[in-house]
Amino acid sequence: MHKPVLFIFIFASLAVAQQPLFRVVDIDVGATDRVQFTDGESATVKLLAISETHDKVRAAIRDARVEVEINGSRATLSCGNYRLPAAIGGVQADCTVTKAYYQNTDYDHWALAKDARLRLWPAGSPFMPPGSMVYPVRQRWFASRTQMANEPTYVDEGERIRSAKIYYHAGLDIGGAEGLVDVIAATNGLVVGLGTTVVDKEKDNASLDRDFNDTIWVQDERGWYHRYTHLYSFDPSVKLGGRVVMGQKIGTLGKEGGSGGWSHLHYEILSRQASGKLGTQEGYAFLWEAYQRQYKPSLIAVTRPHQAVLVGEKATLDGSRSWSKSHIARYDWTFTDGQKASGSKVERSYSQAGTYSEMLRITDDQGRTAYDFETVNVLDPKHPEQVPPSIQAVYFPTMGIAPGKPVTFKVRTFGTTNGQEAWSFGDGTTATTKSDGNVEEHAKDGFAITTHAFSKPGDYIVRVQRTNQLGQKAIAHLWVHVGGSE
Protein backbone atom coordinates (compact mmCIF):
# COMPACT_ATOMS: atom_id res chain seq x y z
CA MET A 1 0.00 0.00 0.00
CA HIS A 2 2.91 2.35 0.70
CA LYS A 3 4.94 1.72 -2.46
CA PRO A 4 2.90 3.99 -4.80
CA VAL A 5 3.12 6.83 -2.27
CA LEU A 6 6.89 6.36 -1.97
CA PHE A 7 7.27 6.31 -5.75
CA ILE A 8 5.27 9.50 -6.13
CA PHE A 9 7.31 11.17 -3.40
CA ILE A 10 10.62 10.24 -5.02
CA PHE A 11 9.42 11.31 -8.46
CA ALA A 12 8.18 14.66 -7.13
CA SER A 13 11.45 15.21 -5.26
CA LEU A 14 13.50 14.54 -8.39
CA ALA A 15 11.29 16.89 -10.43
CA VAL A 16 11.86 19.69 -7.91
CA ALA A 17 15.60 18.93 -7.75
CA GLN A 18 15.99 19.37 -11.49
CA GLN A 19 14.69 22.94 -11.52
CA PRO A 20 17.25 25.78 -11.65
CA LEU A 21 18.86 26.58 -8.33
CA PHE A 22 19.46 30.22 -9.25
CA ARG A 23 17.26 33.26 -9.78
CA VAL A 24 17.60 35.62 -12.76
CA VAL A 25 17.20 39.39 -12.41
CA ASP A 26 17.08 41.82 -15.34
CA ILE A 27 17.68 45.18 -13.67
CA ASP A 28 18.29 48.85 -14.49
CA VAL A 29 21.00 51.05 -13.00
CA GLY A 30 19.74 52.52 -9.73
CA ALA A 31 17.01 49.92 -9.29
CA THR A 32 16.63 47.47 -6.42
CA ASP A 33 15.11 44.00 -6.61
CA ARG A 34 14.46 41.20 -4.16
CA VAL A 35 14.73 37.52 -5.00
CA GLN A 36 13.38 34.53 -3.11
CA PHE A 37 15.23 31.20 -3.18
CA THR A 38 13.57 27.80 -2.92
CA ASP A 39 15.07 27.26 0.56
CA GLY A 40 13.09 30.25 1.88
CA GLU A 41 16.06 32.61 2.01
CA SER A 42 16.00 35.87 0.09
CA ALA A 43 18.44 38.48 -1.18
CA THR A 44 18.18 42.18 -1.99
CA VAL A 45 20.19 43.35 -4.98
CA LYS A 46 20.85 46.85 -6.33
CA LEU A 47 22.63 47.72 -9.57
CA LEU A 48 24.84 50.73 -8.86
CA ALA A 49 26.76 51.25 -12.12
CA ILE A 50 27.95 49.72 -15.39
CA SER A 51 31.26 50.25 -17.20
CA GLU A 52 33.12 48.73 -20.14
CA THR A 53 36.62 48.39 -21.55
CA HIS A 54 36.84 48.57 -25.37
CA ASP A 55 39.80 47.56 -27.48
CA LYS A 56 41.67 49.89 -29.85
CA VAL A 57 41.37 47.48 -32.77
CA ARG A 58 37.65 47.76 -33.54
CA ALA A 59 36.11 49.20 -30.35
CA ALA A 60 34.85 45.77 -29.30
CA ILE A 61 33.89 45.26 -25.66
CA ARG A 62 36.56 43.19 -23.94
CA ASP A 63 35.22 43.54 -20.41
CA ALA A 64 31.83 44.75 -19.22
CA ARG A 65 31.51 45.30 -15.47
CA VAL A 66 28.64 45.91 -13.08
CA GLU A 67 28.92 47.39 -9.61
CA VAL A 68 26.33 45.77 -7.39
CA GLU A 69 25.16 45.87 -3.80
CA ILE A 70 23.79 42.57 -2.49
CA ASN A 71 22.46 42.37 1.06
CA GLY A 72 24.47 45.49 1.85
CA SER A 73 27.79 44.26 0.43
CA ARG A 74 29.31 45.96 -2.61
CA ALA A 75 31.33 44.27 -5.35
CA THR A 76 32.24 44.56 -9.02
CA LEU A 77 31.45 41.68 -11.37
CA SER A 78 32.85 41.18 -14.87
CA CYS A 79 30.20 39.82 -17.21
CA GLY A 80 30.66 36.51 -19.03
CA ASN A 81 34.08 35.86 -20.56
CA TYR A 82 35.04 32.70 -18.63
CA ARG A 83 33.87 34.04 -15.26
CA LEU A 84 32.34 31.94 -12.50
CA PRO A 85 29.81 33.15 -9.91
CA ALA A 86 31.39 34.99 -6.96
CA ALA A 87 30.48 35.09 -3.27
CA ILE A 88 28.87 38.43 -2.34
CA GLY A 89 26.63 39.38 0.56
CA GLY A 90 25.98 35.81 1.69
CA VAL A 91 24.99 34.56 -1.80
CA GLN A 92 26.70 33.69 -5.08
CA ALA A 93 26.18 35.98 -8.06
CA ASP A 94 27.29 36.58 -11.62
CA CYS A 95 26.52 38.94 -14.48
CA THR A 96 25.93 37.38 -17.88
CA VAL A 97 25.36 40.42 -20.12
CA THR A 98 24.75 44.18 -20.17
CA LYS A 99 22.99 46.44 -22.64
CA ALA A 100 26.38 47.69 -23.80
CA TYR A 101 26.66 44.61 -26.02
CA TYR A 102 23.73 45.92 -28.06
CA GLN A 103 25.54 49.12 -29.04
CA ASN A 104 27.72 47.74 -31.83
CA THR A 105 26.19 44.42 -32.82
CA ASP A 106 23.34 43.29 -35.05
CA TYR A 107 22.55 40.26 -32.89
CA ASP A 108 20.31 39.90 -29.86
CA HIS A 109 21.08 36.49 -28.41
CA TRP A 110 20.12 37.34 -24.85
CA ALA A 111 16.61 38.91 -24.92
CA LEU A 112 17.77 41.29 -22.20
CA ALA A 113 14.95 43.50 -20.92
CA LYS A 114 16.90 46.06 -18.87
CA ASP A 115 20.45 47.36 -18.32
CA ALA A 116 22.01 44.14 -17.03
CA ARG A 117 21.27 40.51 -16.23
CA LEU A 118 22.31 39.08 -12.87
CA ARG A 119 21.97 35.54 -11.54
CA LEU A 120 21.93 34.68 -7.85
CA TRP A 121 22.41 31.36 -6.02
CA PRO A 122 22.16 30.61 -2.30
CA ALA A 123 25.50 30.55 -0.50
CA GLY A 124 27.31 27.25 -1.06
CA SER A 125 24.82 26.10 -3.68
CA PRO A 126 25.97 24.11 -6.70
CA PHE A 127 25.40 25.89 -9.99
CA MET A 128 23.18 23.06 -11.26
CA PRO A 129 21.53 20.21 -9.33
CA PRO A 130 23.85 17.19 -8.99
CA GLY A 131 23.12 14.57 -11.61
CA SER A 132 21.36 17.00 -13.96
CA MET A 133 24.08 17.76 -16.52
CA VAL A 134 27.25 16.27 -18.03
CA TYR A 135 30.01 17.76 -20.18
CA PRO A 136 28.80 17.54 -23.81
CA VAL A 137 32.02 16.39 -25.50
CA ARG A 138 34.20 13.41 -24.67
CA GLN A 139 37.55 15.17 -24.40
CA ARG A 140 39.84 17.15 -22.12
CA TRP A 141 38.79 20.62 -20.94
CA PHE A 142 40.27 23.35 -23.20
CA ALA A 143 41.78 20.74 -25.53
CA SER A 144 41.65 23.29 -28.37
CA ARG A 145 40.46 26.80 -29.02
CA THR A 146 37.16 28.01 -27.60
CA GLN A 147 34.77 30.93 -28.02
CA MET A 148 32.48 31.39 -25.06
CA ALA A 149 29.90 33.75 -23.63
CA ASN A 150 30.42 37.37 -24.76
CA GLU A 151 33.79 36.83 -26.42
CA PRO A 152 34.08 38.57 -29.82
CA THR A 153 34.49 35.89 -32.48
CA TYR A 154 38.05 35.47 -33.68
CA VAL A 155 39.01 31.98 -34.83
CA ASP A 156 38.67 32.42 -38.60
CA GLU A 157 40.24 35.87 -39.15
CA GLY A 158 37.45 37.40 -37.08
CA GLU A 159 39.71 40.08 -35.62
CA ARG A 160 40.40 42.78 -38.16
CA ILE A 161 40.62 46.58 -38.09
CA ARG A 162 37.22 47.79 -39.23
CA SER A 163 34.11 49.62 -38.06
CA ALA A 164 31.60 46.90 -38.97
CA LYS A 165 29.19 45.46 -36.43
CA ILE A 166 30.71 42.91 -34.06
CA TYR A 167 29.49 39.38 -33.48
CA TYR A 168 29.74 38.76 -29.76
CA HIS A 169 29.55 35.08 -29.20
CA ALA A 170 26.65 33.49 -27.37
CA GLY A 171 26.70 29.92 -26.23
CA LEU A 172 29.85 27.88 -25.87
CA ASP A 173 32.13 26.86 -28.76
CA ILE A 174 34.33 23.88 -27.91
CA GLY A 175 37.07 23.13 -30.45
CA GLY A 176 37.97 19.53 -31.26
CA ALA A 177 39.05 17.06 -33.91
CA GLU A 178 36.63 16.88 -36.84
CA GLY A 179 34.85 13.55 -37.19
CA LEU A 180 36.58 12.01 -34.16
CA VAL A 181 35.19 13.57 -30.97
CA ASP A 182 31.92 12.22 -29.56
CA VAL A 183 29.21 14.77 -28.77
CA ILE A 184 26.99 13.58 -25.95
CA ALA A 185 23.66 14.71 -24.54
CA ALA A 186 24.27 17.12 -21.67
CA THR A 187 20.82 16.39 -20.22
CA ASN A 188 17.87 14.07 -20.60
CA GLY A 189 15.29 15.41 -23.00
CA LEU A 190 13.09 15.32 -26.07
CA VAL A 191 14.61 15.77 -29.54
CA VAL A 192 12.57 18.70 -30.87
CA GLY A 193 14.85 19.55 -33.80
CA LEU A 194 16.98 17.40 -36.08
CA GLY A 195 18.77 19.01 -39.00
CA THR A 196 16.35 21.29 -40.82
CA THR A 197 13.17 19.81 -39.31
CA VAL A 198 11.42 20.35 -35.98
CA VAL A 199 8.52 18.63 -34.23
CA ASP A 200 5.06 20.04 -34.91
CA LYS A 201 4.78 21.93 -31.63
CA GLU A 202 7.94 23.93 -32.45
CA LYS A 203 7.14 24.87 -36.06
CA ASP A 204 6.36 28.45 -35.09
CA ASN A 205 9.35 28.79 -32.77
CA ALA A 206 11.68 31.12 -34.69
CA SER A 207 14.36 30.75 -31.99
CA LEU A 208 15.13 27.20 -33.10
CA ASP A 209 17.54 27.80 -35.98
CA ARG A 210 17.12 25.22 -38.76
CA ASP A 211 19.07 26.83 -41.61
CA PHE A 212 21.62 24.00 -41.88
CA ASN A 213 21.44 20.25 -41.59
CA ASP A 214 23.96 20.15 -38.72
CA THR A 215 21.98 20.76 -35.53
CA ILE A 216 20.20 18.77 -32.85
CA TRP A 217 17.82 20.56 -30.49
CA VAL A 218 16.90 18.86 -27.21
CA GLN A 219 14.29 20.21 -24.77
CA ASP A 220 14.86 19.19 -21.16
CA GLU A 221 12.40 18.91 -18.27
CA ARG A 222 13.01 22.56 -17.29
CA GLY A 223 11.75 23.66 -20.68
CA TRP A 224 15.28 24.68 -21.69
CA TYR A 225 16.40 24.11 -25.27
CA HIS A 226 19.90 22.66 -25.72
CA ARG A 227 21.53 23.29 -29.08
CA TYR A 228 24.25 21.06 -30.57
CA THR A 229 25.50 22.55 -33.84
CA HIS A 230 28.15 21.97 -36.58
CA LEU A 231 27.89 18.21 -36.15
CA TYR A 232 29.89 16.08 -38.57
CA SER A 233 27.28 13.34 -38.20
CA PHE A 234 24.21 12.41 -36.15
CA ASP A 235 24.17 9.19 -34.17
CA PRO A 236 21.57 6.78 -35.67
CA SER A 237 19.92 6.43 -32.25
CA VAL A 238 18.76 10.07 -32.33
CA LYS A 239 15.27 10.42 -33.79
CA LEU A 240 13.07 13.49 -34.21
CA GLY A 241 10.44 13.34 -31.49
CA GLY A 242 12.38 10.66 -29.61
CA ARG A 243 14.17 10.97 -26.29
CA VAL A 244 17.83 11.07 -25.40
CA VAL A 245 19.43 10.16 -22.09
CA MET A 246 22.09 12.28 -20.40
CA GLY A 247 25.52 10.96 -21.41
CA GLN A 248 24.24 9.28 -24.59
CA LYS A 249 26.26 9.84 -27.77
CA ILE A 250 24.19 11.97 -30.14
CA GLY A 251 26.72 12.84 -32.83
CA THR A 252 30.28 13.66 -33.82
CA LEU A 253 31.94 17.08 -33.65
CA GLY A 254 32.57 18.81 -36.98
CA LYS A 255 32.57 22.05 -38.98
CA GLU A 256 29.27 21.82 -40.85
CA GLY A 257 26.84 24.71 -41.33
CA GLY A 258 27.87 28.22 -40.39
CA SER A 259 31.04 27.15 -38.60
CA GLY A 260 33.43 29.48 -40.41
CA GLY A 261 35.53 26.42 -41.22
CA TRP A 262 36.93 25.65 -37.79
CA SER A 263 36.00 22.36 -36.16
CA HIS A 264 33.94 22.71 -32.98
CA LEU A 265 30.73 22.05 -31.14
CA HIS A 266 28.49 25.06 -30.68
CA TYR A 267 26.58 24.23 -27.51
CA GLU A 268 23.99 26.74 -26.35
CA ILE A 269 21.10 26.81 -23.89
CA LEU A 270 17.97 28.83 -24.63
CA SER A 271 15.49 29.53 -21.85
CA ARG A 272 12.58 31.88 -21.22
CA GLN A 273 13.94 35.21 -19.96
CA ALA A 274 12.35 38.03 -17.96
CA SER A 275 11.37 39.71 -21.24
CA GLY A 276 9.17 36.69 -22.01
CA LYS A 277 11.38 35.82 -24.97
CA LEU A 278 13.76 32.90 -25.42
CA GLY A 279 17.35 33.99 -24.90
CA THR A 280 20.75 32.50 -24.20
CA GLN A 281 21.19 31.08 -20.72
CA GLU A 282 24.93 31.54 -20.18
CA GLY A 283 26.34 28.06 -19.59
CA TYR A 284 30.07 28.35 -18.86
CA ALA A 285 29.61 27.78 -15.11
CA PHE A 286 27.37 24.79 -15.77
CA LEU A 287 29.90 23.07 -18.04
CA TRP A 288 32.75 23.91 -15.68
CA GLU A 289 30.88 22.24 -12.82
CA ALA A 290 29.81 19.25 -14.95
CA TYR A 291 33.40 18.65 -16.07
CA GLN A 292 34.64 18.89 -12.48
CA ARG A 293 32.09 16.32 -11.33
CA GLN A 294 32.90 13.87 -14.11
CA TYR A 295 36.67 14.08 -14.42
CA LYS A 296 37.71 15.46 -11.00
CA PRO A 297 40.76 17.48 -12.11
CA SER A 298 43.17 18.68 -9.46
CA LEU A 299 43.77 22.03 -11.16
CA ILE A 300 42.76 23.89 -14.32
CA ALA A 301 44.74 26.69 -15.97
CA VAL A 302 42.68 29.47 -17.57
CA THR A 303 44.12 32.36 -19.60
CA ARG A 304 41.12 32.92 -21.84
CA PRO A 305 39.44 34.85 -23.46
CA HIS A 306 41.70 35.77 -26.36
CA GLN A 307 42.82 39.36 -27.00
CA ALA A 308 43.17 41.71 -29.94
CA VAL A 309 45.79 44.49 -29.77
CA LEU A 310 47.66 46.80 -32.12
CA VAL A 311 51.36 46.55 -32.90
CA GLY A 312 53.28 48.17 -30.04
CA GLU A 313 50.31 48.14 -27.66
CA LYS A 314 50.60 46.34 -24.33
CA ALA A 315 48.47 43.28 -23.77
CA THR A 316 47.74 42.09 -20.22
CA LEU A 317 47.87 38.31 -19.98
CA ASP A 318 45.68 37.11 -17.12
CA GLY A 319 45.85 33.70 -15.49
CA SER A 320 43.96 34.67 -12.33
CA ARG A 321 40.85 32.70 -13.33
CA SER A 322 42.83 29.47 -12.99
CA TRP A 323 41.68 27.01 -10.32
CA SER A 324 43.16 24.45 -7.94
CA LYS A 325 41.45 22.28 -5.34
CA SER A 326 44.39 23.10 -3.04
CA HIS A 327 46.47 26.23 -3.72
CA ILE A 328 48.21 27.64 -6.80
CA ALA A 329 51.83 28.28 -5.83
CA ARG A 330 53.21 29.57 -9.17
CA TYR A 331 52.14 31.14 -12.45
CA ASP A 332 54.83 30.80 -15.12
CA TRP A 333 54.59 32.19 -18.65
CA THR A 334 56.56 31.21 -21.75
CA PHE A 335 56.10 33.51 -24.71
CA THR A 336 56.28 32.58 -28.38
CA ASP A 337 59.69 34.23 -28.72
CA GLY A 338 61.10 32.16 -25.85
CA GLN A 339 61.07 34.88 -23.19
CA LYS A 340 59.61 34.06 -19.78
CA ALA A 341 57.76 35.79 -16.96
CA SER A 342 55.99 34.89 -13.72
CA GLY A 343 52.88 36.11 -11.90
CA SER A 344 49.14 35.70 -12.33
CA LYS A 345 49.07 38.78 -14.60
CA VAL A 346 51.86 39.95 -16.91
CA GLU A 347 52.19 42.52 -19.70
CA ARG A 348 53.50 41.96 -23.19
CA SER A 349 53.79 44.00 -26.40
CA TYR A 350 54.43 42.91 -29.99
CA SER A 351 56.43 44.52 -32.77
CA GLN A 352 54.91 42.51 -35.64
CA ALA A 353 51.36 41.59 -36.61
CA GLY A 354 50.40 37.93 -36.25
CA THR A 355 48.46 35.42 -34.19
CA TYR A 356 50.41 34.52 -31.07
CA SER A 357 49.92 31.74 -28.53
CA GLU A 358 51.31 32.48 -25.07
CA MET A 359 51.71 29.60 -22.62
CA LEU A 360 50.72 29.64 -18.96
CA ARG A 361 51.82 26.89 -16.59
CA ILE A 362 50.33 26.81 -13.12
CA THR A 363 51.82 24.75 -10.29
CA ASP A 364 49.96 23.91 -7.09
CA ASP A 365 51.39 23.43 -3.60
CA GLN A 366 51.76 19.70 -4.25
CA GLY A 367 53.82 20.16 -7.41
CA ARG A 368 51.06 19.31 -9.88
CA THR A 369 50.95 21.36 -13.08
CA ALA A 370 48.43 22.40 -15.73
CA TYR A 371 48.70 24.49 -18.90
CA ASP A 372 46.60 26.86 -20.98
CA PHE A 373 47.34 29.14 -23.93
CA GLU A 374 46.36 32.75 -24.52
CA THR A 375 45.67 33.67 -28.14
CA VAL A 376 46.72 37.24 -28.92
CA ASN A 377 45.71 38.68 -32.29
CA VAL A 378 48.10 41.51 -33.17
CA LEU A 379 47.13 43.88 -36.00
CA ASP A 380 49.04 46.65 -37.74
CA PRO A 381 47.15 49.99 -37.83
CA LYS A 382 49.40 51.17 -40.70
CA HIS A 383 48.10 48.34 -42.86
CA PRO A 384 44.52 47.60 -41.74
CA GLU A 385 43.82 45.69 -44.94
CA GLN A 386 46.45 43.06 -44.08
CA VAL A 387 44.73 40.57 -41.80
CA PRO A 388 47.25 38.20 -40.18
CA PRO A 389 46.60 34.48 -40.58
CA SER A 390 45.06 32.43 -37.77
CA ILE A 391 45.22 28.73 -37.04
CA GLN A 392 43.34 25.90 -35.31
CA ALA A 393 45.19 22.83 -34.07
CA VAL A 394 43.52 19.80 -32.45
CA TYR A 395 44.44 16.28 -31.40
CA PHE A 396 42.72 12.98 -30.69
CA PRO A 397 42.40 11.27 -28.32
CA THR A 398 42.89 13.91 -25.64
CA MET A 399 42.67 11.55 -22.64
CA GLY A 400 44.01 8.10 -21.84
CA ILE A 401 47.07 8.44 -24.10
CA ALA A 402 49.61 5.69 -23.45
CA PRO A 403 53.32 5.80 -24.41
CA GLY A 404 53.73 4.48 -27.95
CA LYS A 405 50.06 5.01 -28.78
CA PRO A 406 49.58 7.06 -31.99
CA VAL A 407 47.91 10.44 -31.58
CA THR A 408 46.15 12.11 -34.51
CA PHE A 409 46.89 15.82 -35.00
CA LYS A 410 44.81 18.04 -37.28
CA VAL A 411 45.43 21.64 -38.28
CA ARG A 412 43.89 24.29 -40.47
CA THR A 413 45.35 27.70 -41.22
CA PHE A 414 43.04 30.59 -42.08
CA GLY A 415 43.90 33.59 -44.22
CA THR A 416 46.83 32.26 -46.24
CA THR A 417 47.72 29.47 -48.66
CA ASN A 418 51.38 30.39 -48.48
CA GLY A 419 53.87 27.93 -47.02
CA GLN A 420 53.23 24.93 -44.77
CA GLU A 421 52.49 24.19 -41.13
CA ALA A 422 55.61 23.37 -39.15
CA TRP A 423 55.08 21.07 -36.15
CA SER A 424 57.24 20.56 -33.07
CA PHE A 425 55.98 17.81 -30.76
CA GLY A 426 57.91 18.74 -27.64
CA ASP A 427 60.03 15.57 -27.67
CA GLY A 428 62.59 16.65 -30.26
CA THR A 429 60.63 15.48 -33.30
CA THR A 430 59.08 17.64 -36.03
CA ALA A 431 56.74 17.34 -39.02
CA THR A 432 55.22 19.48 -41.77
CA THR A 433 51.70 19.59 -43.19
CA LYS A 434 49.81 21.79 -45.63
CA SER A 435 46.16 22.60 -44.98
CA ASP A 436 43.97 24.37 -47.53
CA GLY A 437 43.89 27.86 -45.99
CA ASN A 438 40.09 27.62 -45.54
CA VAL A 439 39.54 28.38 -49.22
CA GLU A 440 36.33 26.34 -49.01
CA GLU A 441 35.19 26.15 -45.41
CA HIS A 442 33.33 22.83 -45.72
CA ALA A 443 36.02 21.00 -47.67
CA LYS A 444 36.27 17.45 -46.36
CA ASP A 445 40.08 17.58 -46.59
CA GLY A 446 40.38 21.13 -45.28
CA PHE A 447 42.36 20.04 -42.22
CA ALA A 448 45.84 18.65 -42.72
CA ILE A 449 46.57 15.50 -40.70
CA THR A 450 49.66 13.98 -39.15
CA THR A 451 50.19 11.37 -36.43
CA HIS A 452 52.77 11.05 -33.70
CA ALA A 453 53.48 8.66 -30.83
CA PHE A 454 55.22 9.77 -27.64
CA SER A 455 57.64 7.19 -26.27
CA LYS A 456 57.58 8.25 -22.61
CA PRO A 457 54.97 9.46 -20.09
CA GLY A 458 54.88 13.18 -19.44
CA ASP A 459 53.42 16.53 -20.42
CA TYR A 460 54.28 17.60 -23.97
CA ILE A 461 53.76 21.09 -25.39
CA VAL A 462 53.12 20.75 -29.11
CA ARG A 463 53.62 23.83 -31.30
CA VAL A 464 52.47 24.40 -34.86
CA GLN A 465 52.89 27.54 -36.95
CA ARG A 466 52.51 28.83 -40.48
CA THR A 467 53.73 32.06 -42.07
CA ASN A 468 52.07 34.13 -44.77
CA GLN A 469 53.81 35.94 -47.65
CA LEU A 470 54.35 39.01 -45.41
CA GLY A 471 56.18 37.02 -42.75
CA GLN A 472 53.25 37.18 -40.32
CA LYS A 473 52.93 34.03 -38.23
CA ALA A 474 49.94 32.11 -36.95
CA ILE A 475 50.94 30.00 -33.94
CA ALA A 476 49.04 27.47 -31.85
CA HIS A 477 49.97 25.22 -28.92
CA LEU A 478 48.49 22.00 -27.56
CA TRP A 479 49.05 20.37 -24.19
CA VAL A 480 49.28 16.58 -24.57
CA HIS A 481 49.41 14.51 -21.39
CA VAL A 482 50.82 11.00 -21.88
CA GLY A 483 50.44 8.26 -19.28
CA GLY A 484 49.71 8.60 -15.56
CA SER A 485 46.55 10.17 -14.14
CA GLU A 486 44.55 12.75 -16.00
Side-chain angles (χ1 to χ4, degrees):
M1 292 293 293
H2 297 290
K3 287 183 180 179
V5 175
L6 180 61
F7 175 79
I8 292 171
F9 173 77
I10 293 173
F11 181 80
S13 298
L14 287 173
V16 171
Q18 297 307 307
Q19 294 307 307
L21 301 173
F22 57 91
R23 294 292 180 262
V24 180
V25 178
D26 281 7
I27 189 169
D28 286 325
V29 173
T32 301
D33 207 336
R34 188 173 183 83
V35 300
Q36 191 83 26
F37 299 114
T38 56
D39 62 2
E41 296 295 320
S42 63
T44 301
V45 55
K46 183 175 183 179
L47 179 60
L48 303 174
I50 296 176
S51 60
E52 303 90 35
T53 299
H54 296 256
D55 66 45
K56 296 179 181 179
V57 174
R58 51 179 179 150
I61 298 171
R62 298 293 163 171
D63 184 24
R65 299 169 297 277
V66 294
E67 185 180 351
V68 297
E69 182 180 283
I70 300 177
N71 293 336
S73 296
R74 291 193 176 194
T76 300
L77 296 172
S78 288
C79 305
N81 289 328
Y82 305 80
R83 303 278 182 173
L84 296 173
I88 307 168
V91 303
Q92 298 174 98
D94 71 2
C95 170
T96 59
V97 68
T98 71
K99 275 286 186 175
Y101 286 97
Y102 287 75
Q103 294 172 5
N104 58 349
T105 183
D106 292 325
Y107 298 92
D108 179 8
H109 306 286
W110 311 281
L112 177 64
K114 298 183 179 180
D115 289 338
R117 175 167 297 151
L118 307 177
R119 299 187 298 190
L120 287 83
W121 289 258
S125 169
F127 305 142
M128 289 290 286
S132 64
M133 179 173 283
V134 297
Y135 191 58
V137 290
R138 196 164 282 125
Q139 72 171 14
R140 178 187 286 275
W141 182 263
F142 286 173
S144 178
R145 285 189 168 186
T146 56
Q147 293 183 148
M148 295 190 170
N150 310 332
E151 188 171 7
T153 57
Y154 75 102
V155 292
D156 50 355
E157 301 176 275
E159 298 287 15
R160 57 182 67 212
I161 299 174
R162 58 184 180 183
S163 59
K165 295 291 186 179
I166 295 164
Y167 173 43
Y168 295 105
H169 199 263
L172 309 166
D173 277 0
I174 304 169
E178 178 185 22
L180 297 176
V181 177
D182 288 347
V183 174
I184 60 180
T187 65
N188 301 327
L190 178 71
V191 179
V192 296
L194 188 64
T196 57
T197 59
V198 296
V199 296
D200 287 344
K201 74 181 184 71
E202 301 292 349
K203 285 188 175 178
D204 295 327
N205 187 350
S207 296
L208 301 191
D209 179 24
R210 62 205 82 162
D211 292 338
F212 299 100
N213 193 34
D214 66 335
T215 298
I216 296 174
W217 286 98
V218 175
Q219 187 177 31
D220 70 12
E221 59 192 9
R222 306 169 191 83
W224 292 3
Y225 296 89
H226 299 256
R227 175 179 183 165
Y228 307 83
T229 292
H230 310 312
L231 298 181
Y232 181 86
S233 62
F234 300 155
D235 192 84
S237 65
V238 180
K239 307 293 184 185
L240 185 66
R243 300 196 66 82
V244 294
V245 178
M246 182 173 58
Q248 170 187 340
K249 180 182 176 181
I250 61 173
T252 307
L253 182 149
K255 57 174 171 53
E256 307 306 309
S259 68
W262 75 291
S263 181
H264 67 285
L265 170 68
H266 177 101
Y267 172 75
E268 185 171 1
I269 302 169
L270 297 184
S271 65
R272 196 68 60 182
Q273 302 297 338
S275 60
K277 300 176 182 179
L278 284 173
T280 299
Q281 182 69 256
E282 213 286 277
Y284 177 74
F286 306 152
L287 293 197
W288 172 280
E289 183 179 63
Y291 186 88
Q292 295 257 353
R293 288 171 175 167
Q294 284 174 260
Y295 297 104
K296 298 177 174 54
S298 298
L299 65 169
I300 295 177
V302 181
T303 78
R304 309 176 192 214
H306 80 289
Q307 296 188 56
V309 297
L310 300 174
V311 168
E313 180 187 359
K314 285 186 177 180
T316 299
L317 309 180
D318 185 357
S320 65
R321 290 188 283 281
S322 301
W323 169 89
S324 170
K325 68 179 182 181
S326 56
H327 170 71
I328 300 176
R330 289 189 59 84
Y331 298 81
D332 295 300
W333 299 85
T334 301
F335 303 119
T336 47
D337 62 1
Q339 294 189 45
K340 298 181 183 296
S342 61
S344 61
K345 294 183 181 181
V346 298
E347 289 186 338
R348 181 80 172 152
S349 61
Y350 301 84
S351 61
Q352 185 178 19
T355 302
Y356 296 84
S357 175
E358 310 298 23
M359 182 177 74
L360 169 67
R361 183 183 70 181
I362 60 171
T363 306
D364 71 8
D365 52 8
Q366 298 182 43
R368 293 173 297 207
T369 57
Y371 300 80
D372 193 26
F373 309 101
E374 171 94 2
T375 296
V376 184
N377 295 97
V378 181
L379 297 100
D380 187 349
K382 296 180 180 179
H383 300 283
E385 75 287 353
Q386 296 174 358
V387 181
S390 59
I391 195 168
Q392 184 195 12
V394 299
Y395 67 109
F396 181 87
T398 61
M399 296 183 289
I401 302 172
K405 180 180 179 180
V407 178
T408 298
F409 292 89
K410 295 189 175 188
V411 66
R412 196 176 204 183
T413 304
F414 299 80
T416 185
T417 57
N418 184 74
Q420 296 179 311
E421 291 97 11
W423 292 85
S424 173
F425 293 103
D427 60 359
T429 60
T430 60
T432 58
T433 57
K434 188 176 180 66
S435 68
D436 69 345
N438 198 40
V439 173
E440 200 289 294
E441 68 179 82
H442 295 129
K444 293 299 182 184
D445 58 353
F447 279 81
I449 303 173
T450 188
T451 60
H452 182 70
F454 299 89
S455 62
K456 299 178 181 179
D459 291 313
Y460 295 89
I461 304 302
V462 177
R463 174 171 168 150
V464 59
Q465 67 182 51
R466 188 164 172 175
T467 307
N468 69 6
Q469 67 276 13
L470 301 174
Q472 299 168 340
K473 294 179 180 179
I475 303 167
H477 287 102
L478 299 168
W479 168 30
V480 181
H481 178 77
V482 179
S485 62
E486 294 299 325

